[in-house]
Amino acid sequence: VNPALDRWFNEGFISDYTIDDFKDYGPGTVGGIFHEWITQGNYGIQIVPWTKPETQLQFYNMRSGQTHDFEHILCGGGFNSMGELVPYWYRLTNVFKHIRNPELAGELSVLQLLGSLRYTIRTMLHYPQVWEVTVDAMQRGMRVGQQSDALFMAKIEDVFHLPVGEARAVLGVRGAQDRDTSAEGEFFLDRAA
């Protein structure tokens, strides 16, 4: 029914990158931005250890984990609480655009939905001062998802060396708008000055 998705599952590409693999990428490149963010924040790159998936759903979830941080960069979401909404909402719209079976698309979207709701509910209940930023981030993510090619099936590793604008063009990412939401992200985390 969906030859592109079928090819992607059959290829089953899994990355094995480490933080050190990004140290030589230049500033402004996808890999350089990722390396700067990951090292300055002293973050790990594997929330769940990468193992050989045994099912297509396990493969989908593993690749989603491997590409999520790069979706921040490519879709225009900062690396903060408000920035999380952009890749979540890109994915929630992009998967439904490219997987025309609503039951399958819905099953593949559960983690993104639950992830995004924790931010939206908490913001409305406790931080209405940043609600408009929340809505903007969700709308920006949706716009990218609706306008773009199937980024979730792309081999993002092929564009680590490219500046963000060029990488977006190569991968068919359209409608991305970069916004600095770090102040609102800090406010959301109760660390505002």
Side-chain angles (χ1 to χ4, degrees), residues 16-145:
D16 61 355
Y17 59 76
T18 66
I19 293 172
D20 284 342
D21 293 329
F22 295 92
K23 68 182 179 335
D24 295 326
Y25 286 110
T29 64
V30 173
I33 292 167
F34 178 74
H35 185 262
E36 179 181 359
W37 172 76
I38 207 92
T39 55
Q40 284 182 355
N42 196 27
Y43 299 114
I45 59 173
Q46 295 173 327
I47 295 172
V48 176
W50 298 343
T51 58
K52 183 174 172 57
E54 296 179 18
T55 67
Q56 290 176 333
L57 182 58
Q58 287 176 356
F59 170 73
Y60 178 87
N61 288 333
M62 178 176 292
R63 268 313 272 172
S64 294
Q66 289 186 335
T67 61
H68 175 79
D69 288 337
F70 301 102
E71 291 167 1
H72 276 268
I73 298 165
L74 294 165
C75 296
F79 289 107
N80 58 64
S81 299
M82 294 292 103
E84 282 295 335
L85 291 165
V86 175
Y88 279 143
W89 284 96
Y90 131 73
R91 184 82 68 139
L92 285 165
T93 52
N94 196 256
V95 168
F96 275 85
K97 176 182 178 181
H98 295 285
I99 298 178
R100 302 308 301 169
N101 178 309
E103 290 82 12
L104 177 58
E107 183 67 32
L108 296 177
S109 299
V110 170
L111 291 176
Q112 284 76 26
L113 180 64
L114 294 174
S116 72
L117 288 178
R118 65 189 167 131
Y119 291 103
T120 54
I121 292 170
R122 184 174 170 198
T123 300
M124 181 55 80
L125 293 176
H126 303 290
Y127 305 100
Q129 300 88 335
V130 296
W131 179 249
E132 290 181 12
V133 174
T134 301
V135 171
D136 178 66
M138 292 178 345
Q139 290 173 333
R140 287 186 296 121
M142 287 181 211
R143 203 167 22 255
V144 173

